[in-house]
Amino acid sequence: MKILVCAKRVIDYNVKVQINREGDGVVTDGVKMSINPFDEIAIEEALRIRDRGEADEVVVASIGPGSAQQQLRTALAMGADRAILIETDAAIQPLGAARIFMQLVETEQPGLVLMGKQAIDDDSNQTGQMLAALWHKPQATFVSKLELADGKATATREVDAGLETIEVDLPAVVTTDLRLNEPRFVKMPDIMKAKRKPLETTALAELDVDLGPQLAVANYSPPPQRQAGVMVESVDELVAALRDKGVI
Amino acid sequence: MAEVLLVAEHAGGKLNPSTAKSVTCAAAIGTVTVAVFTDSDDGVASAAAQLDGVSKVLLVESAQNAQALAAVLAPQVVALASNYTHVLAPSTTFGKDLLPRVAARLGVPQVSDIMTVKSERQFGRPIYAGNVLVEVTVPDDVTVVGTVRTASFSAAATGDTAAIEKTSVDADIPDHTRYVGLESHGGERPDLQSANRVVSGGRGVGSAENFALIYNLADKLGAAAGASRAAVDAGFVPNDMQVGQTGKIIAPDLYIAIGISGAIQHITGIKDAGTIVAINKDADAPIFAVADIGLAGDLFEIVPQLEQALDS
Ligand SMILES: Cc1cc2nc3c(=O)[nH]c(=O)nc-3n(C[C@H](O)[C@H](O)[C@H](O)COP(=O)(O)OP(=O)(O)OC[C@H]3O[C@@H](n4cnc5c(N)ncnc54)[C@H](O)[C@@H]3O)c2cc1C
Ligand SMILES: Nc1ncnc2c1ncn2[C@@H]1O[C@H](COP(=O)(O)O)[C@@H](O)[C@H]1O
């Protein structure tokens, strides 16, 4: 079985994001970029499944600018077998991304697609579910535990009410939550080895994909800031302050 | 005039509070029809019918709807969608799972986490963990599909009684997805997502046993109990208590953060709270920059004292 993992290049989660001067985007020049943290978890999970002998190939795919090769090289250094970059400088929205991945699914025929539950740039939380819908296959979203056996996956999902378990027939799309695993650190020799692994780049324009209707995004603005309040010195002052505000 | 179909979230015969909040958003857009998918008419439809702003409830009863599985519900929502200009659901794990599956089948984009309604097709939403707000516009002539960030809307009042219409849908429902079970920890305390008061603990609380401090204070205040991701990861508390970017986004009147440093991903979940109180032994902890009232000190001394002081 082959596993396809989708990994997006995003601004590192530790960076304090700034809106650009034009107000039509965020500053990316000189900003640290990383694999979307949920996708790193997806890669790690795919590698563990392969290393248990339940899959034989892990292919990592990204849609993004040429520089996303860096993140794909990191994925290869983690242990992925092969990488595919669908190159475009345009911002691809979830419906478009799902349609592009649908093409990859048709050519690669994976038995499992692993993705992050959300990309931490746009926080859409859509692409995995959309791909599953277009593919007419099951989805298991927000997964914190995954077991594969007999052509089925048993997935524990982090839902608002607690932990839900579902069983789905494979192939399926699984999206990861943070507690699924802890991704490995890449070691220097693996980075060297990864340089020789196959990374294939295809221009988005070469694929014949209709990205569908798009949302127009405008007016980037900072959220209203909360003002720092008062520091109190004792529990009595705290209780007095709470009574003052009428919240207790 | 916009015709909005809102998919109700419910379980165990109870309408989830996220539905009443989503009604407020939906009513700001147009006429609201609430769809209830269930295996038995257990009172959820009539609870939805009582929400002010709801003009009709569609009750879709079928054995397959016993559990809210996205793969099962999506084709049914798609079948109903043709009569509506908008399809909405709360931005809870239920709505997040379901709606993109609907949007993809309709061939339309989805607006996630609607915070504000600017017009029928224009909405404010957060990106980058709420550090940036944007306005998104859905192109004309396509169905608007969106999830509602419930912390941004107050619950619709009750009082009205809208008509309940039983209906059946003609949809191809797959059998590739099966519900196995739910491990739920929700006890006697109020629901985290709709509680007026929330007391949360972080890594500083130190252990599962020590979380008794948090629960006791919460019970004294009639509050829900929450936690940071670090406290969940460390195994102190179950995942359903996590507040933040990847947990629950909440807006209680009072939020008390105890032994929580105030990472940006945590703050995202509480930005809309009325009053934020922070208790942390590190006077420079970032949580104090957003707290309305801060008290620097050891939580193991402060929390029991606070509990006592609330008695007097
Ligand atoms: C993609 C992503 C998503 C994330 N999503 C979330 C999310 O949804 N929610 C979330 O919370 N985090 C989230 N995080 C994690 C977040 O970055 C922080 O790691 C986490 O919030 C830290 O939790 P904490 O404040 O409990 O722990 P710490 O940062 O370790 O802080 C513990 C605090 O306790 C204080 N303390 C210790 N002992 C005492 C004592 N005796 N008395 C008083 N104070 C004491 C310390 O001074 C310290 O400030 C996410 C991270 C990533 C990368
Ligand atoms: N441009 C992209 N390249 C690679 N993977 C992507 C891309 N966009 C979305 N994904 C995948 O879809 C998941 C959910 O993204 P989103 O729906 O944008 O929140 C991400 O965690 C990735 O696994």
Side-chain angles (χ1 to χ4, degrees):
Chain A
M1 182 181 79
K2 187 193 288 185
I3 303 178
L4 178 68
V5 187
C6 304
K8 189 177 187 185
R9 172 184 165 94
V10 298
I11 294 180
D12 187 84
Y13 79 95
N14 277 313
V15 171
K16 181 138 186 27
V17 171
Q18 309 277 351
I19 296 168
N20 67 19
R21 217 170 280 151
E22 297 75 31
D24 61 1
V26 302
V27 176
T28 50
D29 278 354
V31 167
K32 183 177 180 209
M33 305 297 286
S34 299
I35 300 177
N36 180 45
F38 294 99
D39 303 350
E40 218 183 335
I41 291 168
I43 296 165
E44 177 67 36
E45 195 65 16
L47 298 176
R48 291 185 190 187
I49 293 169
R50 183 198 61 195
D51 296 346
R52 285 201 300 264
E54 295 167 13
D56 30 51
E57 192 184 21
V58 173
V59 181
V60 180
S62 190
I63 308 165
S67 50
Q69 287 192 0
Q70 290 165 18
Q71 280 64 42
L72 289 174
R73 286 285 169 211
T74 305
L76 293 170
M78 285 175 75
D81 299 295
R82 187 153 74 76
I84 300 169
L85 175 62
I86 306 299
E87 193 176 343
T88 170
D89 287 330
I92 303 297
Q93 296 179 359
L95 180 63
R99 288 181 173 184
I100 294 166
F101 287 134
M102 189 56 222
Q103 273 218 354
L104 277 186
V105 160
E106 275 163 0
T107 48
E108 296 287 337
Q109 298 284 325
L112 175 67
V113 179
L114 274 164
M115 313 176 74
K117 77 165 176 182
Q118 77 196 71
I120 61 162
D121 47 7
D122 289 343
D123 287 329
S124 297
N125 198 328
Q126 299 175 10
T127 310
Q129 298 88 311
M130 287 183 160
L131 174 62
L134 299 176
W135 197 14
H136 294 268
K137 294 292 185 230
Q139 67 191 41
T141 51
F142 328 138
V143 168
S144 62
K145 191 167 169 234
L146 182 65
E147 279 165 13
L148 308 180
D150 310 323
K152 293 192 269 282
T154 305
T156 303
R157 311 177 52 231
E158 295 208 0
V159 297
D160 292 336
L163 295 172
E164 182 189 272
T165 304
I166 60 172
E167 184 189 80
V168 298
D169 295 336
L170 296 176
V173 176
V174 171
T175 78
T176 62
D177 217 317
L178 291 170
R179 276 174 284 274
L180 181 59
N181 61 49
E182 259 190 67
R184 66 196 65 187
F185 287 103
V186 292
K187 297 186 224 66
M188 212 45 207
D190 296 328
I191 297 175
M192 301 309 292
K193 261 204 301 212
K195 293 200 170 127
R196 293 191 300 271
K197 289 187 179 176
L199 193 169
E200 172 198 327
T201 299
T202 307
L204 175 58
E206 282 174 37
L207 304 180
D208 186 25
V209 185
D210 169 9
L211 298 178
Q214 310 274 308
L215 300 173
V217 185
N219 283 341
Y220 286 64
S221 65
Q225 291 301 311
R226 287 189 81 99
Q227 299 300 315
V230 296
M231 291 298 285
V232 295
E233 298 299 327
S234 68
V235 168
D236 290 340
E237 276 183 45
L238 171 58
V239 173
L242 287 170
R243 295 223 159 99
D244 223 37
K245 284 190 176 281
V247 288
I248 59 168
Chain B
M1 177 75 178
E3 291 283 345
V4 186
L5 181 71
L6 171 66
V7 185
E9 176 172 2
H10 64 95
K14 287 214 171 63
L15 195 60
N16 187 288
S18 63
T19 305
K21 295 184 177 193
S22 302
V23 165
T24 304
C25 173
I29 298 170
T31 310
V32 185
T33 300
V34 176
V36 175
F37 296 92
T38 180
D39 61 336
S40 67
D41 182 9
D42 51 12
V44 168
S46 62
Q50 281 164 26
L51 293 170
D52 292 356
V54 173
S55 64
K56 186 165 80 183
V57 175
L58 287 181
L59 176 61
V60 187
E61 234 182 293
S62 119
Q64 284 163 307
N65 293 339
Q67 250 77 39
L69 293 171
V72 169
L73 296 183
Q76 302 180 65
V77 177
V78 169
L80 293 176
S82 55
N83 295 325
Y84 298 89
T85 56
H86 293 61
V87 179
L88 299 183
S91 187
T92 53
T93 51
F94 163 78
K96 287 175 182 172
D97 190 36
L98 172 64
L99 269 217
R101 209 169 163 110
V102 172
R105 286 286 175 80
L106 294 173
V108 304
Q110 173 182 303
V111 183
S112 293
D113 303 312
I114 294 171
M115 294 177 80
T116 52
V117 176
K118 314 261 174 197
S119 76
E120 282 182 15
R121 291 186 171 267
Q122 193 176 38
F123 309 94
R125 69 169 297 254
I127 59 174
Y128 289 101
N131 290 300
V132 178
L133 305 181
V134 290
E135 277 174 27
V136 298
T137 309
V138 183
D140 290 339
D141 311 323
V142 307
T143 309
V144 179
V145 174
T147 59
V148 179
R149 184 180 180 276
T150 53
S152 302
F153 297 89
S154 51
T158 53
D160 279 6
T161 32
I164 300 173
E165 184 183 312
K166 287 199 183 194
T167 184
S168 59
V169 289
D170 185 19
D172 228 353
I173 296 179
D175 57 5
H176 53 46
T177 304
R178 294 166 293 273
Y179 177 86
V180 177
L182 175 73
E183 188 188 320
S184 189
H185 304 271
E188 312 294 281
R189 280 182 203 96
D191 169 58
L192 184 54
Q193 270 157 313
S194 50
N196 292 327
R197 295 170 177 176
V198 174
V199 179
S200 281
R203 200 198 312 264
V205 175
S207 69
E209 294 74 44
N210 291 348
F211 247 81
L213 278 173
I214 304 297
Y215 299 134
N216 289 342
L217 181 60
D219 292 345
K220 181 125 293 174
L221 288 164
S228 70
R229 174 184 166 198
V232 179
D233 285 359
F236 303 168
V237 296
N239 69 290
D240 44 26
M241 281 172 63
Q242 182 173 317
V243 171
Q245 180 190 11
T246 49
K248 289 172 180 160
I249 310 275
I250 58 175
D253 298 334
L254 174 64
Y255 185 77
I256 307 185
I258 300 173
I260 292 177
S261 61
I264 176 169
Q265 295 89 1
H266 187 82
I267 302 299
T268 302
I270 58 168
K271 261 199 272 225
D272 297 327
T275 298
I276 297 178
V277 176
I279 299 170
N280 194 303
K281 70 175 179 193
D282 172 7
D284 296 324
I287 187 83
F288 289 124
V290 296
D292 299 286
I293 310 172
L295 177 53
D298 187 347
L299 72 91
F300 297 105
E301 288 166 23
I302 293 172
V303 176
Q305 284 177 25
L306 177 56
E307 225 188 286
Q308 264 188 358
L310 290 171
D311 275 336
S312 53

